[in-house]
Amino acid sequence: MNRLFEIIRRDLRLALRQGSDSVMVVTFFVLTVILFPFGIGPEANILERVSPGVLWVTALLASMLSLDRLFQADYEDGSLELLALTPTALEVLVIGKVAAHWLTTGLPLMVAAPVLAVLLHMNADGFLALLATMLIGTPILSLIGAMGAALVLGARRGGVLLSLLVLPLYIPVLIFGVGAIDAAIQGLETGAQLLLMGGILLAALPLAPLAAAAAVRQARE
Amino acid sequence: MVIYYPYRAQGRSRDAPAVFPKSCFPLARAVVLLWCRAMTNGMSSHTFTGEKLVCIRGERVVFSGLGFHLAAGEALLLLGPNGSGKSSLLRLMAGLLKPASGRLAWGGDPVADDREAHAARVHYVGHHDAIKPVLSVFENLRFWARLHDPASGAGLARAARDRMGLARLADVPGKLLSAGQKRRLNLARLLAAPATLWLLDEPSVALDRQSVKVLEAVIAEHRAAGGMVALSTHADVDLPGARELHLDHFAVAPEAAMGVWG
């Protein structure tokens, strides 16, 4: 358990000192969302209609930007070998790295999303659902992404390969995330979608670290 | 490091002026014994052995039928030309690679049965120094020490840092270190969190002569305290009384390899 916190602390410290990754992710998110009013036009009703989808799709893409560094940096400087030789399960360390990744990318995205929702004229009824789906959804993105990031270790042009691997797996999160916000805007129940997302999170929580750790073991051979 | 054996000192301490009442002795003895066992866990009488090890990298048999024996206080010097499998053998010993066949055992128990217990008694120093460019020297060292043993104190890490001549560089970020300084930082891990078995893959690369002397002294102290060392090198590292293992003796000729597979 101590080791879990140790690795979260190190990754947070690295992210804060390097700074670029988190800032880049949020900046990408903001800029891309701002592009939509230019592309689609400023009509409030159209923007309002597409706002849940736009926010979620751009959040998916933004969270993917930082994924290829998740294990790659540790892989290149030999840290991953030493992590694998730590007297604890590699799965625990993967959970630590995923938690740090979520804190430095998922959480800032969640904070930025309501501000951008205002920009897209999203109905105020959808805000709570937007925050709830982001809270449940972004950890899933980090977990599934970790699986992909571990699989492409050592591959050339891993970043492109990574998006091909990971994006199809993000589709359920996108469907239920947007569905919940749409339902909330129309004044319907959002419980079902949130529960389904919660179910995906609970399934990914043990399974993704197992798969990612297996892929890391494969990569170091 | 000095290991105190309480049972040896027992006779004398009974005659010594009684600081504690005599009734305390059984309890104190049990506590000291437990402490000693915890401190010397795996250090005292265990052996690390390999039998009939085969290593295959890609499609090539690097070595086969390799065996070694390491007891407490011993050192194993791996020799052989490039590509003869020195690094592969060290990674195999560490548990980073799985042998294609053969057996690695610690005191008779197969290493593969309990990977975490094996990881707890191993320090591996490979070709990469695993140093984060934005963390300071001391932060890098402290992270690895605490990851290896969460109970390891800052005092030990500080002593390790000073021993490796990094005291002045403690707050310097990793990106400003030279290759030799990085290597010294990597070697300081050995001292910052204790482990019985040190696996060193060409540890003297990039080190200046004085640092090699320090490394030799550190290894000698580790062996004197009952530790084990397996080391590969092309340079001169003085390991008094080390066993030598010539890896080219275990190389498989291409025809013979065909026989194995054919």
Side-chain angles (χ1 to χ4, degrees):
Chain A
M1 212 54 189
N2 284 331
R3 296 195 175 100
L4 178 69
F5 292 125
E6 200 62 39
I7 196 148
I8 293 178
R9 198 160 62 180
R10 179 194 73 151
D11 274 19
L12 286 182
R13 196 178 271 170
L14 285 175
L16 288 178
R17 299 242 175 111
Q18 281 161 342
S20 53
D21 269 13
S22 296
V23 176
M24 190 182 69
V25 166
V26 176
T27 317
F28 176 85
F29 185 44
V30 172
L31 278 178
T32 320
V33 170
I34 289 176
L35 285 183
F36 276 87
F38 292 113
I40 298 173
E43 289 91 355
N45 54 340
I46 296 179
L47 284 178
E48 186 193 346
R49 177 69 199 83
V50 298
S51 59
V54 167
L55 285 174
W56 256 106
V57 169
T58 25
L60 291 188
L61 296 176
S63 84
M64 230 177 47
L65 272 186
S66 59
L67 275 181
D68 62 329
R69 301 305 296 163
L70 183 56
F71 294 112
Q72 192 69 31
D74 281 340
Y75 177 74
E76 281 165 6
D77 70 9
S79 299
L80 208 54
E81 280 180 353
L82 293 184
L83 288 178
L85 283 178
T86 305
T88 186
L90 190 54
E91 284 79 4
V92 174
L93 302 178
V94 170
I95 291 175
K97 287 195 76 72
V98 171
H101 180 259
W102 179 73
L103 286 171
T104 52
T105 61
L107 201 60
L109 286 182
M110 206 176 99
V111 173
V115 182
L116 293 170
V118 174
L119 193 80
L120 294 176
H121 299 286
M122 186 194 269
N123 193 313
D125 295 337
F127 279 28
L128 204 60
L130 173 67
L131 276 177
T133 53
M134 280 276 175
L135 183 64
I136 306 174
T138 45
I140 307 178
L141 302 185
S142 293
L143 282 163
I144 294 177
M147 231 160 41
L151 277 172
V152 301
L153 277 180
R156 282 185 307 123
R157 303 174 62 79
V160 182
L161 189 60
L162 177 61
S163 53
L164 296 182
L165 278 174
V166 160
L167 277 181
L169 296 174
Y170 280 173
I171 292 174
V173 184
L174 179 63
I175 292 174
F176 295 123
V178 174
I181 303 171
D182 274 338
I185 291 173
Q186 287 158 21
L188 303 172
E189 279 287 320
T190 57
Q193 286 93 335
L194 290 179
L195 281 176
L196 276 164
M197 286 183 85
I200 299 175
L201 176 61
L202 287 182
L205 210 52
L207 292 180
L210 274 177
V216 167
R217 284 198 193 95
Q218 193 65 36
R220 96 194 162 203
E221 290 222 340
Chain B
M1 198 170 98
V2 184
I3 300 167
Y4 295 99
Y5 292 98
Y7 17 85
R8 239 187 259 161
Q10 190 186 343
R12 252 184 291 151
S13 53
R14 273 183 199 280
D15 300 331
V19 183
F20 299 105
K22 269 199 173 165
S23 55
C24 279
F25 268 112
L27 183 68
R29 185 164 168 265
V31 168
V32 171
L33 264 177
L34 273 176
W35 178 80
C36 269
R37 191 172 297 170
M39 292 305 286
T40 60
N41 191 11
M43 270 209 179
S44 47
S45 62
H46 281 305
T47 55
F48 183 47
T49 52
E51 291 164 21
K52 296 177 186 157
L53 292 169
V54 179
C55 174
I56 300 174
R57 303 293 287 148
E59 306 260 295
R60 195 172 73 91
V61 182
V62 182
F63 54 75
S64 83
L66 188 148
F68 66 86
H69 180 95
L70 256 179
E74 287 188 341
L76 188 68
L77 189 59
L78 309 182
L79 298 169
N82 296 134
S84 58
K86 299 186 293 294
S87 297
S88 296
L89 179 57
L90 285 169
R91 292 169 66 84
L92 225 120
M93 288 173 169
L96 283 168
L97 283 179
K98 286 194 187 78
S101 80
R103 199 175 110 102
L104 280 170
W106 183 270
D109 303 324
V111 162
D113 285 0
D114 194 348
R115 294 238 157 256
E116 289 175 26
H118 189 59
R121 59 193 170 228
V122 166
H123 266 314
Y124 170 77
V125 174
H127 293 298
H128 298 292
D129 288 324
I131 290 163
K132 290 292 167 197
V134 291
L135 296 186
S136 77
V137 164
F138 195 59
E139 282 169 338
N140 270 303
L141 180 60
R142 194 90 173 90
F143 168 71
W144 288 118
R146 289 182 58 111
L147 207 62
H148 191 83
D149 177 11
S152 73
L156 214 51
R158 231 170 271 133
R161 175 198 70 188
D162 297 348
R163 186 74 201 271
M164 284 296 160
L166 295 164
R168 266 188 326 113
L169 299 168
D171 297 322
V172 172
K175 61 185 162 196
L176 297 181
L177 296 182
S178 74
Q181 289 166 336
K182 280 185 182 164
R183 181 40 61 105
R184 261 147 58 193
L185 174 51
N186 196 0
L187 289 169
R189 276 194 305 119
L190 299 171
L191 299 171
T196 314
L197 175 61
W198 290 1
L199 304 172
L200 313 178
D201 199 352
E202 305 199 22
S204 59
V205 168
L207 289 185
D208 55 34
R209 198 159 292 170
Q210 196 190 346
S211 305
V212 174
K213 286 262 173 344
V214 173
L215 175 65
E216 285 168 353
V218 164
I219 290 176
E221 281 165 31
H222 178 61
R223 290 172 63 192
M228 311 172 189
V229 177
L231 185 148
S232 79
T233 185
H234 289 294
D236 282 334
V237 177
D238 187 27
L239 292 175
R243 292 163 188 246
E244 291 188 357
L245 188 68
H246 292 268
L247 272 100
D248 37 340
H249 295 177
F250 301 97
V252 179
E255 314 84 70
M258 291 298 282
V260 169
W261 299 111

